[in-house]
Amino acid sequence: MDRPEPTADNLVCSAQNESLDQQVEALVKQVNSLETQRDDVVRANINYLRELAQLNRVADMLTQHRSYKQVMGDLLEEVKTLTHAKRIWLIEPNSKSEIRDIYSLDESQPAYESLPLEVQDLAQRVLEVNPDQPLVMPHYDPTKGDEHFVAMSMCSDHYVMGVLCYCLPENTNAVDSQQIRLVQSLLHHTTLACENVRLLETLSNMIVDVVVAMALAIESRDPYTGGHVERVTAYSMMLARHAGLDRSDLATLRIGGLLHDIGKIAVPDAILRKPLPLTKDEFDQMKPHPVVGHQIIAHIPQLAKAAPIVRWHHERIDGKGYPDGLGGDDIPLLSRVAAIADTYDAMTSDRPYRRGLDMNVAREEIHRCAGTQFDPELAEVFLSIPDDELLQTVASASRVRDAKRRMDSVALLDTLDLDFPVNTAGGIR
Ligand SMILES: [Fe+2]
């Protein structure tokens, strides 16, 4: 069949169709491109939301911590997860912008040794030039020369708490503004967590100051038992360590040891300061001191964990002790620990009317009274402690006023059980 000759009209129509095809093709390309862009945006938003959710989870976790070391350790781990940084340091400055402390994830060497001088200088630059502005240096690695370096400050409302420095691998985007923003948010939450730690430390220090003042008050009233409360505390903690008790129990024993005789505040001077053995009547006047002490402690909720030590340090395992005549396991474990420590120190200390017993004689007494006066298992543990260690413990048991210096701050916070409102305000900045 012959094809019709092309006419002018046909030629115009064909050209129009071709143009339409091209427009349709261009539109399809545009639609495809928009769909790709939309997918990218959706994917980016989903990732961003995931990261925000992760950030909120981390923020909650950080604000539960009770020490700077815990907070900084988690901060560095999260920065590593978020950025894939190979090396990270958190440099804590003092008020003169000098380095006060350094935290690092590299546990193979001290943080001070892992921090290159160049990083110190760059951190210094952030502190001195513009703490609000992150320092991002693509293709600059202060240690190897082919990576990226980022430094940014961690600021509270009033001062710079630290400078975070990290090195990114070559294949990452060093100037990813979204990532920088997330890390800044993480730092913001970290400042809140640090503020919480600071407030908790201040509060626990205040409580310990009060405990130490109370212990000094007991000591000052009884001239013949100088150092007794500190020695009982030291012996109790030593026995607890040998018995495998945990840090929290040790901290409770420290508070309980310092306060175990606080109830003697109610005992008349004529009895407390008497340079002779007590008569039965005088001893009966001394006996309420655990109850009085317990009443004093019970009114301070933060010291409640130590209250059983105060009340039951004169109980006996056979039920013949005072004030409540508890026996066996009805006597709390830490009270049984303190009972051995208290009696051992009483036996080995000098009194105006007698010399202290030789430590071996005192040990024999502990052995003889195991199962009647003392918890037999704890007595066995006590007797297994070498003489050297007992002597060293009594020698190093310094005065009450030094007690605070040697406190395990984290365990102490557990013992004090501070019901403290955790600061989680702030949100994403
Ligand atoms: Fe006592």
Side-chain angles (χ1 to χ4, degrees):
M1 202 169 127
D2 293 337
R3 292 172 69 180
E5 286 293 315
T7 62
D9 284 349
N10 279 346
L11 285 173
V12 168
C13 197
S14 171
Q16 282 177 338
N17 283 344
E18 203 172 307
S19 169
L20 271 173
D21 285 347
Q22 286 172 348
Q23 285 179 33
V24 168
E25 197 179 328
L27 277 171
V28 168
K29 275 187 183 167
Q30 240 180 324
V31 168
N32 285 341
S33 168
L34 284 171
E35 280 181 347
T36 305
Q37 285 179 38
R38 183 202 61 195
D39 289 348
D40 287 346
V41 169
V42 168
R43 208 172 298 119
N45 279 340
I46 288 173
N47 283 340
Y48 189 53
L49 286 172
R50 276 200 193 119
E51 282 168 340
L52 282 181
Q54 167 77 355
L55 192 59
N56 280 330
R57 185 191 63 72
V58 173
D60 279 349
M61 180 179 72
L62 287 175
T63 48
Q64 301 302 319
H65 286 326
R66 294 176 163 200
S67 78
Y68 286 109
K69 200 175 170 191
Q70 289 174 325
V71 172
M72 297 309 179
D74 274 1
L75 166 68
L76 298 185
E77 286 289 353
E78 291 303 327
V79 171
K80 184 178 181 181
T81 304
L82 201 62
T83 63
H84 307 292
K86 290 168 77 177
R87 285 180 297 282
I88 312 172
W89 301 270
L90 193 288
I91 300 165
E92 188 185 339
N94 61 19
S95 57
K96 295 176 186 166
S97 294
E98 298 161 340
I99 294 177
R100 184 165 71 181
D101 210 346
I102 301 169
Y103 300 87
S104 154
L105 278 183
D106 181 4
E107 291 181 353
S108 65
Q109 56 184 332
Y112 272 94
E113 289 177 17
S114 75
L115 183 70
L117 278 175
E118 291 88 341
V119 174
Q120 287 186 36
D121 291 343
L122 292 167
Q124 202 76 32
R125 195 198 302 177
V126 170
L127 279 172
E128 289 170 0
V129 179
N130 187 357
D132 292 331
Q133 185 64 41
L135 176 68
V136 181
M137 303 177 74
H139 309 293
Y140 176 78
D141 178 349
T143 53
K144 293 201 172 169
D146 60 353
E147 302 181 6
H148 314 295
F149 179 77
V150 181
M152 61 181 84
S153 63
M154 184 172 85
C155 303
S156 75
D157 289 344
H158 309 294
Y159 61 99
V160 180
M161 299 176 84
V163 180
L164 176 75
C165 302
Y166 53 95
C167 296
L168 294 166
E170 179 63 21
N171 60 358
T172 52
N173 184 357
V175 287
D176 180 339
S177 59
Q178 187 169 301
Q179 186 181 89
I180 298 273
R181 196 172 140 81
L182 281 168
V183 175
Q184 283 182 308
S185 294
L186 190 56
L187 290 177
H188 172 62
H189 286 291
T190 306
T191 61
L192 296 176
C194 288
E195 285 291 313
N196 283 332
V197 169
R198 191 182 60 77
L199 289 170
L200 280 168
E201 282 186 352
T202 303
L203 190 58
S204 65
N205 281 339
M206 282 171 58
I207 293 170
V208 172
D209 282 343
V210 171
V211 167
V212 169
M214 291 162 95
L216 283 170
I218 309 165
E219 276 218 328
S220 67
R221 285 205 60 219
D222 187 349
Y224 304 123
T225 57
H228 171 69
V229 289
E230 181 60 27
R231 289 193 302 274
V232 169
T233 306
Y235 287 138
S236 296
M237 294 177 72
M238 178 189 60
L239 175 52
R241 259 193 303 271
H242 279 269
L245 303 191
D246 63 23
R247 295 164 67 206
S248 176
D249 285 334
L250 289 174
T252 303
L253 276 167
R254 176 159 285 285
I255 298 289
L258 288 171
L259 295 178
H260 76 281
D261 273 343
I262 183 73
K264 285 187 178 174
I265 209 102
V267 175
D269 272 357
I271 295 173
L272 203 61
R273 304 169 80 98
K274 185 180 175 186
L276 294 169
L278 298 182
T279 65
K280 182 179 179 308
D281 179 54
E282 288 165 342
F283 187 64
D284 284 345
Q285 291 185 61
M286 182 77 97
K287 279 169 94 172
H289 78 268
V291 174
V292 174
H294 183 264
Q295 285 168 345
I296 293 169
I297 303 304
H299 287 290
I300 306 171
Q302 287 76 23
L303 301 181
K305 281 189 180 170
I309 296 172
V310 176
R311 185 172 184 114
W312 292 306
H313 70 275
H314 286 298
E315 297 290 358
R316 294 169 51 112
I317 213 78
D318 60 9
K320 293 181 181 173
Y322 63 94
D324 298 312
L326 299 184
D329 289 347
D330 288 343
I331 307 169
L333 175 62
L334 300 189
S335 308
R336 285 179 264 152
V337 170
I340 293 178
D342 187 29
T343 308
Y344 178 80
D345 187 63
M347 287 192 290
T348 51
S349 299
D350 291 339
R351 290 286 185 275
Y353 50 88
R354 66 153 170 84
R355 294 278 302 165
L357 294 180
D358 176 82
M359 67 183 296
N360 290 321
V361 178
R363 276 177 177 280
E364 280 171 22
E365 272 300 292
I366 299 281
H367 176 69
R368 189 179 68 79
C369 299
T372 52
Q373 184 172 350
F374 306 118
D375 179 317
E377 288 177 28
L378 285 174
E380 195 179 326
V381 173
F382 186 84
L383 294 172
S384 73
I385 299 170
D387 286 359
D388 286 354
E389 194 175 336
L390 270 176
L391 291 169
Q392 204 176 341
T393 297
V394 71
S396 62
S398 52
R399 307 294 292 174
V400 169
R401 57 178 58 84
D402 294 330
K404 189 170 131 190
R405 183 169 48 80
R406 290 180 285 111
M407 294 260 179
D408 176 336
S409 60
V410 175
L412 184 66
L413 284 169
D414 287 340
T415 286
L416 297 176
D417 201 18
L418 300 175
D419 183 14
F420 197 75
V422 171
N423 182 1
T424 54
I428 306 299
R429 202 159 57 164

